[in-house]
């Protein structure tokens, strides 16, 4: 069983300065950094990943599709 969790991260960008972003981690093994700066959206992604038990092979594709849906 896969258990995805949100991780809060701090980044610095030369154009926008410091910012907080949320990544997704799977069992302290696979980390996808800087997925979104929207904590609620990050939690929605994680809920879907956990509910559908998305295989680690497909994490990036699923996240990308959810981001496209969110901002289209």
């Amino acid at each position: 069983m896969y258990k995805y969790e949100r991780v809060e991260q701090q980044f610095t960008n030369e154009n926008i300065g410091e910012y907080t972003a949320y990544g997704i981690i799977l069992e302290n093994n696979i980390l996808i950094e800087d997925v979104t700066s929207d904590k609620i959206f990050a939690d929605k992604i994680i809920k879907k990943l956990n509910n559908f038990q998305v295989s680690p092979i497909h994490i990036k594709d699923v996240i990308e599709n959810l981001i496209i849906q969110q901002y289209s």
Side-chain angles (χ1 to χ4, degrees):
M1 183 169 164
Y2 301 117
K3 182 164 175 25
Y4 294 93
E5 297 179 2
R6 175 178 32 88
V7 58
E8 184 173 314
Q9 302 169 294
Q10 301 298 318
F11 292 98
T12 303
N13 179 289
E14 63 184 50
N15 295 319
I16 62 173
E18 291 187 19
Y19 67 99
T20 300
Y22 300 95
I24 297 171
I25 192 165
L26 172 62
E27 301 167 0
N28 294 320
N29 190 13
I30 298 172
L31 173 63
I32 310 295
E33 295 185 318
D34 202 358
V35 172
T36 181
S37 59
D38 182 340
K39 185 176 182 178
I40 293 170
F41 181 53
D43 288 341
K44 286 180 183 180
I45 293 172
I46 291 163
K47 184 176 180 179
K48 288 185 183 215
L49 292 171
N50 285 323
N51 285 346
F52 292 106
Q53 286 296 288
V54 174
S55 168
I57 295 170
H58 301 292
I59 295 173
K60 289 183 180 181
D61 292 329
V62 171
I63 291 171
E64 182 179 316
N65 289 338
L66 292 170
I67 289 170
I68 289 168
Q69 288 175 359
Q70 176 79 5
Y71 297 106
S72 293

